[in-house]
Amino acid sequence: MRIMVVDGQGGGIGRSLVERLRAELPGEEILAVGTNSTATANMMRGGATAGVTGENALLYNAPRAQVIVGPIGIVLANAILGEISPKMACAISDSPARKILIPSARCNLWVAGMQEKPLTKYLEEAVEAVKAALPRA
């Protein structure tokens, strides 16, 4: 199973996701896709299997992933201070992969019914959602 973790800017959320996923799912392929090289490098330090950077890498890999996880801005054109291009947001949205999105106040978006929680709680919930998305052996 290919788990694709997407992040931008410094890659802090992505790195935290990769570290938690690696601890819980040591044998799974985790592909770090950064919108910039700093984000990719940070996620690689978190234990990703492989890392790629930029729009074309995301466009190529999104349809090949079974799960895509990252901050909610990855499905919003021009989010993450403009690092998510419309093509990137569309590729993630169009991917057949299961999308697991972390709410973030930085995206200036509120999802109805969402409870305000510390980021660590959202990360824990995201890891549990990825585990639930894995095919049962």
Side-chain angles (χ1 to χ4, degrees), residues 105-127:
R106 288 186 164 188
C107 292
N108 198 23
L109 175 74
W110 182 258
V111 178
M114 184 178 80
Q115 297 175 344
E116 238 180 284
K117 301 176 190 177
L119 179 59
T120 55
K121 287 299 284 177
Y122 286 128
L123 294 173
E124 289 170 13
E125 291 176 10
V127 170

Side-chain angles (χ1 to χ4, degrees), residues 6-134:
V6 181
D7 202 5
Q9 296 193 317
I13 290 175
R15 180 177 181 163
S16 292
L17 282 167
V18 169
E19 288 171 346
R20 291 165 186 262
L21 289 166
R22 180 57 63 218
E24 293 285 327
L25 303 166
E28 298 297 336
E29 179 183 359
I30 301 172
L31 175 64
V33 179
T35 60
N36 61 65
S37 59
T38 300
T40 304
N42 206 6
M43 289 187 282
M44 289 299 297
R45 282 190 285 278
T49 310
V52 295
T53 302
E55 183 180 76
N56 192 65
L58 188 145
L59 298 179
Y60 177 80
N61 286 289
R64 291 165 174 78
Q66 284 73 47
V67 176
I68 299 174
V69 59
I72 197 166
I74 65 174
V75 295
L76 302 170
N78 303 311
I80 310 180
L81 296 176
E83 291 187 23
I84 300 295
S85 72
K87 285 182 181 179
M88 293 165 89
C90 187
I92 293 169
S93 296
D94 283 350
S95 172
R98 178 150 207 196
K99 283 72 133 182
I100 299 168
L101 305 172
I102 310 294
S104 173
R106 288 186 164 188
C107 292
N108 198 23
L109 175 74
W110 182 258
V111 178
M114 184 178 80
Q115 297 175 344
E116 238 180 284
K117 301 176 190 177
L119 179 59
T120 55
K121 287 299 284 177
Y122 286 128
L123 294 173
E124 289 170 13
E125 291 176 10
V127 170
E128 289 305 312
V130 171
K131 287 168 52 178
L134 294 175

